Amino acid sequence: MINWHDIDTVLLDMDGTLLDLHYDNFFWTQHLPRRYSEIHGGDLHQVTDTLLTRIMSERGSLNWYCLDYWSQELNLDIPALKAEVAHLIQPLPSTSNFLSALNTSHCETWLVTNAHRVGLDMKLKRTDLQRWLKRIVSSHDLAVPKEDPRFWERLCQQHHFNPDRSLLIDDTHSVLEAAGQFGIRHLLTLKQPDSQKPLRQDSEMTYPAIHHFDEILPIPKPVLP
């Protein structure tokens, strides 16, 4: 599926790619409505419906991912609430093996995420992913989400890479689509971003997909002179 000799830069999403999306899904659909109801009052089922409708209205925008925005909108300390269930932050299977293999290969490994910096820092402290990464970029640094081709343009302007020799692995179709429009040649997605949900079917996905990173290992070691 991947010819590693054609790859110089590996661009990795975080949530649903390296980390289990169950944490985020559980927080936004269950923990947040319950805590909102406890703090502000209201029937839990009605609160859940109202919150999810409000949150989904921002899908694909930078606000969708911005913890400051939701703290202000909902009059809650969202980072503090996310910390309450931080024990659910877990890497997906084979993440460490894959990152270790990349670390000893010829490829540069970059994390490119839509996660807000506060949430990103929380996850890095829990998982220590940064030890494997050459560069960490949040879409909030570039003021546009990864779903927008301008993200990739700005990323390339600030941190040069060759799109034709780059691999992006991401669980979100619209992100892969934007990256492809920009010119990133190698695109790959995940069949099970959330370990508590069923595998996505091939018919649901436009891009090549893997279940675990072991499927695209080994990575050839660099040839020493």
Side-chain angles (χ1 to χ4, degrees):
M1 184 179 294
I2 299 294
N3 184 347
W4 289 105
H5 297 293
D6 293 338
I7 309 294
D8 293 329
T9 308
V10 180
L11 307 166
L12 297 172
D13 174 48
M14 183 173 65
D15 303 316
T17 298
L18 297 179
L19 302 185
D20 194 336
L21 196 59
H22 174 63
Y23 166 74
D24 297 279
N25 285 338
F26 177 82
F27 174 79
W28 292 105
T29 65
Q30 297 184 54
H31 189 67
L32 175 62
R34 181 177 63 81
R35 296 292 282 120
Y36 184 99
S37 180
E38 291 172 353
I39 294 167
H40 294 309
D43 174 75
L44 179 58
H45 294 294
Q46 189 171 29
V47 165
T48 300
D49 290 343
T50 300
L51 282 179
L52 292 182
T53 299
R54 176 70 187 91
I55 291 167
M56 290 298 290
S57 71
E58 296 289 349
R59 187 173 188 175
S61 72
L62 205 57
N63 286 341
W64 165 270
Y65 304 100
C66 184
L67 304 189
D68 292 337
Y69 175 82
W70 291 115
S71 292
Q72 181 176 349
E73 285 289 303
L74 304 178
N75 192 24
L76 292 170
D77 186 343
I78 296 296
L81 297 184
K82 287 181 74 73
E84 292 176 352
V85 288
H87 62 280
L88 295 177
I89 298 171
Q90 298 289 338
L92 284 168
S94 73
T95 289
S96 58
N97 288 342
F98 181 55
L99 291 176
S100 178
L102 284 172
N103 193 51
T104 58
S105 75
H106 66 285
C107 299
E108 281 197 359
T109 307
W110 299 11
L111 183 70
V112 287
T113 176
N114 276 322
H116 185 268
R117 277 287 175 180
V118 174
L120 171 60
D121 289 345
M122 183 188 305
K123 290 172 179 176
L124 292 179
K125 287 177 183 177
R126 296 283 304 191
T127 62
D128 200 26
L129 288 178
Q130 64 271 23
R131 66 193 171 112
W132 307 113
L133 304 169
K134 174 75 173 181
R135 194 179 306 281
I136 298 174
V137 180
S138 166
S139 59
H140 298 267
D141 303 335
L142 304 182
V144 66
K146 294 190 301 179
E147 288 88 336
D148 190 320
R150 290 176 297 172
F151 170 88
W152 305 101
E153 294 169 6
R154 294 177 186 180
L155 179 66
C156 195
Q157 288 168 359
Q158 291 196 17
H159 311 290
H160 178 71
F161 65 96
N162 182 352
D164 196 55
R165 293 189 56 81
S166 297
L167 165 67
L168 170 65
I169 307 180
D170 200 292
D171 67 304
T172 302
H173 172 85
S174 54
V175 170
L176 294 164
E177 190 173 43
Q181 289 174 11
F182 170 68
I184 294 177
R185 180 180 174 190
H186 307 277
L187 303 169
L188 192 64
T189 194
L190 278 295
K191 292 182 179 179
Q192 195 177 29
D194 183 332
S195 66
Q196 304 303 305
K197 293 188 176 182
L199 272 69
R200 298 190 289 184
Q201 300 302 309
D202 291 342
S203 59
E204 300 176 66
M205 296 174 290
T206 308
Y207 298 94
I210 57 171
H211 188 195
H212 295 144
F213 290 116
D214 291 345
E215 297 169 41
I216 52 175
L217 294 177
I219 303 172
K221 302 290 185 182
V223 178
L224 298 176

